[in-house]
Amino acid sequence: MARYDLIVIGSGPAGEKGAAQVAYFGKKTALIERAAPRLGGACTNTGTLPSKTLRETALAITGMNSRGLEAAVLALPKPYTARTLMHREQLVVGAERGRIARNVERHGIKVLAGTASFVDAHTVRIEETGETLEADVFLIATGSRPHRPSWIPFEEVEIYDSDEILEIEIIPDSMIVLGSGVIASEYACIFAALGVKVTVMDGKDRLLGFLDGEIGQRFHAELMRLGLTLQLGDAPVKCAIDARTRVCSVTTAGGKVETAAAVLAAAGRTGNTAGMGLEALGIVPDKRGNLAVNEHFQTVLPHIYAAGDVVGFPGLASTSMEQGRVAMCHAFGLSYKTCVNPLFPYGIYTIPEMSYVGRTEEELKQQGVDYLAGRASMRDNARAEILGAESGFLKILFAPDRKILGVHALGPSATELIHIGLMALLADATIDLFIDAVFNFPTLSELYKYAAYDGLGALIRREKGAAA
Ligand SMILES: Cc1cc2nc3c(=O)[nH]c(=O)nc-3n(C[C@H](O)[C@H](O)[C@H](O)COP(=O)(O)OP(=O)(O)OC[C@H]3O[C@@H](n4cnc5c(N)ncnc54)[C@H](O)[C@@H]3O)c2cc1C
C-alpha cells in the first residue's frame, strides 16, 4: 500500500495550496480529486472564476463598463446567446485548470483521480479503483455544493442552482433569483445587465445585509438603475412550474406570487462530507455538512485537518487558500505561517463591484466606538472620468486619533482598491498615510487621498465645534 506524509482530499484552493505548501518542503504528498483531471474545485470550475468571467463578459458585450461613453456603439446587438456568454468563461476556466495542473506537477504532488473515503484513521480508499493509501497527515479540503431546499423542484430544466446556471442554453426573458447573499446578488446583477427581467426574492429585508449601511443604500440605488425588482422581507415558500406553459412561479409566505421563465436558487452551501466515513472516526459533520476545527484547523483527530468551505464561514476562495496553508504549516511544524489573518477583505462582484475591510459604521456604533468618516467620489476622480464610471465612492472610517478603522469601496475596481486600505489597516496606520503619500495620477487609488482630506476636514470641524 502506498504511504505518504500527507494526503489531501480535494483540489480546490484549500487543497491545492495546502498540498503545495507541504510538497515544497519535500514531503511526499498525494492529492485525491474526484473530478480529476478537472482540478480547481468550485473556485475554478463552478464558482468564483466562471461567475467573475461571466460578469466581465456581460459588462463588455453590453457596453456597461463604460456607461458614460458610447455604450450603444460598444454593445453587441441582442439577443445574446448563451454560447457568446460562456465562450470566455470556458477559456478562463481551461487556463486556470492548466495553471493548477502545472503547479501540482512542479511540486511533485501525486494526483489520484477518484472519490476518497476513510477506511481507518490513517487509511483512505479511492472508491472508483479500490486503491487504498496511507498517510501520517490528512487534509480534508472537499469544499461545498449548492444547498437544495426540498421545496424547490430542481429536477425541472428551468430551475437552476448556482452550479447548473453555468450550463444555461438560452438566456431567458425573465428570471426569479432566490436568495439575498453574495452569489444571489452577483448573478442577479449579471442577468439584469444582460437585459433579463430579474426579480430577487428572499425572506430577509435587505440584500447583503452585512454591508455598511451607506454602501447598502448606494447599492440599492444602483440595483434600481439596473432595473432589478426586489421582493424582500417575505420568505418564498413554494416554487412550481406550469407543465403546459413552462412558466415558473414562486409564492411567498405572505401569499405573493411572482412568475418568470426561469428560477435561480442560491440558498447557501452544504459541506461535502457525506459518505467519507468520517462519523466512524468520531468526526461528525454538523447538519450543513461542515466540520468543526480548532484554530490550527485540526478536527477531533489531531492528524486529520480540514480547511476551506468544508469548515464553513467565511467560505471564500481567498480565505480557503490561507486556511490550507496555515493548517499544513502547523501539521509539519513549518513555523512561519501560524494563523489566518483575521483582518481580511470582502470582495463582492455585483454591478457595481463592492469591497470592504475592517468595521462598518453600524458595527462601530454598536461597539460604542467614536469615529469619523471621509469620503471621495468617483465623479471627482479623473481616472474614473476616463473609464466612464458614472458612480462609485470610497469611504474611510477612522478614530479621532486618525487611526483607520475600516474602508469601504463601491465602483469599478473596488475589489482591487481595497487592498490599499487593507495594508494601511494591517500597518495600524492613520489617515495621514494617505495625505502624505504621492499617488500616480490619474488613478482610482487617488480616492484614498481625497477621502483622507475629507476626513481631516470633518475632524477639524468637529474640533472647532468642540472648542466653540
Ligand atoms: C458562484 C460562486 C461565486 C463565488 N465567488 C467567489 C469570489 O468572488 N471570491 C471568493 O473568494 N470566493 C468565491 N466563491 C467561493 C469559493 O469558490 C469557495 O470558497 C472555494 O472554492 C472553496 O475552496 P475549497 O478548496 O474549500 O473547496 P472547493 O473549491 O469546493 O474544492 C473542493 C474539491 O474537492 C473535491 N471533492 C469533494 N469531495 C471529494 C472526495 N470525497 N474525494 C475526492 N475529491 C473530493 C471536489 O470535487 C472539489 O474539486 C464563490 C463560490 C460560488 C459558488
Side-chain angles (χ1 to χ4, degrees):
M1 191 189 311
R3 188 169 181 95
Y4 293 87
D5 295 316
L6 168 69
I7 291 177
V8 177
I9 308 174
S11 70
E16 182 208 345
K17 304 302 179 192
Q21 179 75 70
V22 169
Y24 181 79
F25 287 96
K27 302 289 177 192
K28 193 176 171 195
T29 304
L31 177 65
I32 307 175
E33 171 54 61
R34 68 181 176 194
R38 287 182 0 158
L39 303 183
C43 177
T44 299
N45 299 294
T46 53
T48 315
L49 294 190
S51 61
K52 263 80 268 185
T53 312
L54 219 52
R55 177 183 181 276
E56 285 305 325
T57 303
L59 289 175
I61 66 177
T62 57
M64 282 192 68
N65 50 358
S66 50
R67 264 199 293 209
L69 303 174
E70 301 77 8
V73 179
L74 294 171
L76 276 184
K78 283 189 196 172
Y80 315 117
T81 65
R83 257 183 80 157
T84 314
L85 268 186
M86 300 301 173
H87 175 68
R88 181 140 185 81
E89 183 257 332
Q90 283 151 14
L91 294 182
V92 171
V93 168
E96 181 65 3
R97 280 185 199 151
R99 184 204 59 74
I100 296 168
R102 286 193 301 279
N103 188 33
V104 164
E105 195 186 335
R106 200 171 52 240
H107 282 87
I109 298 165
K110 172 90 177 157
V111 176
L112 295 140
T115 308
S117 61
F118 282 86
V119 176
D120 61 46
H122 281 279
T123 315
V124 290
R125 179 176 178 277
I126 299 180
E127 200 180 289
E128 291 81 352
T129 59
E131 189 180 352
T132 52
L133 307 106
E134 284 183 338
D136 297 331
V137 175
F138 292 86
L139 174 62
I140 301 172
T142 47
S144 64
R145 63 184 181 281
H147 174 58
R148 286 175 155 234
S150 56
W151 56 273
I152 302 176
F154 286 101
E155 65 282 3
E156 304 288 357
V157 285
E158 293 84 355
I159 317 266
Y160 302 87
D161 68 22
S162 61
D163 282 359
E164 293 168 333
I165 198 69
L166 296 168
E167 310 290 325
I168 196 164
E169 281 176 8
I170 295 165
I171 307 298
D173 295 336
S174 55
M175 180 184 278
I176 293 170
V177 176
L178 299 174
S180 59
V182 175
I183 295 173
S185 303
E186 289 184 354
Y187 274 122
C189 288
I190 291 171
F191 283 101
L194 291 168
V196 177
K197 186 178 166 295
V198 174
T199 304
V200 183
M201 301 179 76
D202 197 71
K204 297 214 173 104
D205 291 336
R206 274 172 67 187
L207 284 192
L208 306 172
F210 55 87
L211 287 177
D212 178 272
E214 185 180 4
I215 295 275
Q217 274 174 18
R218 295 265 198 137
F219 176 53
H220 185 267
E222 294 289 336
L223 293 181
M224 297 301 103
R225 248 160 62 109
L226 256 184
L228 262 109
T229 304
L230 302 181
Q231 274 283 357
L232 301 174
D234 188 4
V237 288
K238 191 177 159 209
C239 178
I241 190 153
D242 186 299
R244 193 179 55 81
T245 61
R246 304 307 296 171
V247 171
C248 309
S249 65
V250 175
T251 310
T252 66
K256 285 204 189 93
V257 181
E258 287 288 337
T259 56
V263 172
L264 165 62
R269 312 272 302 170
T270 302
N272 289 326
T273 44
M276 290 190 70
L278 293 170
E279 291 82 352
L281 303 180
I283 303 171
V284 182
D286 68 15
K287 59 180 188 322
R288 269 298 181 97
N290 294 333
L291 301 178
V293 288
N294 66 13
E295 73 273 28
H296 306 301
F297 299 96
Q298 290 167 296
T299 64
V300 287
L301 294 190
H303 71 289
I304 301 184
Y305 289 72
D309 277 13
V310 78
V311 303
F313 180 83
L316 295 169
S318 52
T319 47
S320 296
M321 296 177 195
E322 280 300 281
Q323 290 175 353
R325 293 181 182 117
V326 166
M328 293 302 93
C329 282
H330 183 263
F332 289 90
L334 312 171
S335 56
Y336 70 96
K337 204 180 238 307
T338 53
C339 72
V340 176
N341 199 312
L343 193 72
F344 56 85
Y346 287 86
I348 303 152
Y349 296 80
T350 41
I351 302 173
E353 194 169 308
M354 300 183 285
S355 196
Y356 76 94
V357 61
R359 286 179 275 180
T360 63
E361 289 203 46
E362 290 68 30
E363 282 168 346
L364 292 168
K365 281 180 193 145
Q366 213 173 33
Q367 294 160 7
V369 178
D370 190 12
Y371 72 94
L372 295 103
R375 296 174 181 79
S377 169
M378 290 208 183
R379 277 185 200 285
D380 303 321
N381 177 280
R383 184 63 181 271
E385 186 64 35
I386 294 166
L387 291 172
E390 287 184 338
S391 59
F393 83 121
L394 182 97
K395 173 166 80 170
I396 304 175
L397 303 176
F398 61 99
D401 67 359
R402 303 184 185 195
K403 210 148 129 191
I404 301 162
L405 301 170
V407 179
H408 302 262
L410 177 146
S413 301
T415 56
E416 299 283 353
L417 272 177
I418 209 67
H419 293 119
I420 297 174
L422 170 67
M423 293 304 144
L425 270 162
L426 288 174
D428 237 359
T430 66
I431 55 169
D432 297 304
L433 179 71
F434 303 131
I435 288 169
D436 295 341
V438 177
F439 286 82
N440 275 330
F441 179 85
T443 56
L444 296 177
S445 307
E446 256 204 311
L447 289 165
Y448 277 94
K449 187 179 271 294
Y450 292 101
Y453 273 129
D454 184 56
L456 196 59
L459 185 61
I460 292 166
R461 283 193 298 279
R462 181 198 270 198
E463 283 167 358
K464 275 191 186 155

